[in-house]
Amino acid sequence: MGTPTLERIVVYPVKSLDPHDTLERVEIRPDGGLTYDRRFAMVAADGEYINGKNDRRVHELRSGFDPKAGRLTLRPNDGDSAAFDVDEREAIEAWLTDYFGEPVELKRGEREGFPDDTLASGPTVIAKATLEAVAGWFDGIDADEMERRLRPNLVVGGVEAFWEDRLYKSEGTAVGFRIGDCEFVGSNPCQRCVVPTRDPKTGEETPGFRETFMQNREETLPEWASEAWFDHYFRLMVNTFVPEETVGTELRVGDEFEILGERPYPA
């Protein structure tokens, strides 16, 4: 096994929309998330998120983000793009309302974002080799597409497939680890929803995805993975907690990982 190294940082500026993966460094927010990650969220009139779980049209919506210019670009798969200053919320909401055919509010978090796991709200972690291995379970899906389906924040290079399963223990016990100057606590293998079963660009269902995934996950589960979390095998990627002392520190591409050992599970 090589040296575990942070190979890529990925953020999703608008919850459920496209990734932004050209960051070389990023700061840890007060809520444990990464700067820019899930900073915005689309919300329907009933207060519920508009996301890929409940609206397939989300998959057909392309987005781009320029953090330096503060610009957000939106485009349907079959339409023209529109660019907005991120402070032009009314204009963005009007565009989204027209696209979805229902009122849409664009919520914005400053010190906090809109994480998928509100308890273990730190960045999610997966090995590059894991993405490659899992993509190999399916015809016509490569590692890049698998990453878009699974939506991780931190991709680790220099390690074998499923290395990230070392970053959690049984329920009640967690695993501390350090990336450069930042310390994290590994919580659990992420429970997957319906989103990874669909083509990330069209929303088209991949036949048998969940069943194939679960069968292969069970068969390839490494000896270092704690089976205590596996009430089912549709779990992959690691959710994390962020200690208070890590808030405000900075992650950098190229930072090395160090596993620190078992920690009490955060209350």
Side-chain angles (χ1 to χ4, degrees), residues 28-50:
I28 309 299
R29 287 190 313 235
D31 67 336
L34 306 181
T35 300
Y36 308 124
D37 190 47
R38 278 89 172 180
R39 185 178 181 185
F40 301 92
M42 301 178 293
V43 178
D46 62 2
E48 295 295 319
Y49 290 130
I50 297 174

Side-chain angles (χ1 to χ4, degrees), residues 39-82:
R39 185 178 181 185
F40 301 92
M42 301 178 293
V43 178
D46 62 2
E48 295 295 319
Y49 290 130
I50 297 174
N51 56 34
K53 299 176 188 178
N54 57 35
D55 195 325
R56 288 176 181 265
R57 292 173 295 179
V58 169
H59 295 283
E60 299 176 14
L61 179 56
R62 307 276 62 80
S63 64
F65 181 66
D66 183 338
K68 290 184 179 179
R71 298 286 283 175
L72 175 67
T73 303
L74 298 169
R75 178 180 62 83
N77 278 343
D78 58 354
D80 297 326
S81 64

Side-chain angles (χ1 to χ4, degrees), residues 173-228:
T173 304
V175 174
F177 63 97
R178 183 179 290 115
I179 312 173
D181 299 326
C182 304
E183 187 169 329
F184 299 92
V185 179
S187 169
N188 59 279
C190 181
Q191 177 171 275
R192 310 312 314 197
C193 65
V194 69
V195 170
T197 70
R198 300 176 184 158
D199 184 305
K201 292 185 178 180
T202 67
E204 182 179 354
E205 195 82 23
T206 300
F209 184 97
R210 181 185 175 96
E211 295 75 15
T212 298
F213 185 107
M214 293 178 67
Q215 178 181 342
N216 282 278
R217 182 64 162 140
E218 181 176 11
E219 292 175 355
T220 60
L221 194 71
E223 61 182 10
W224 55 80
S226 170
E227 292 210 43

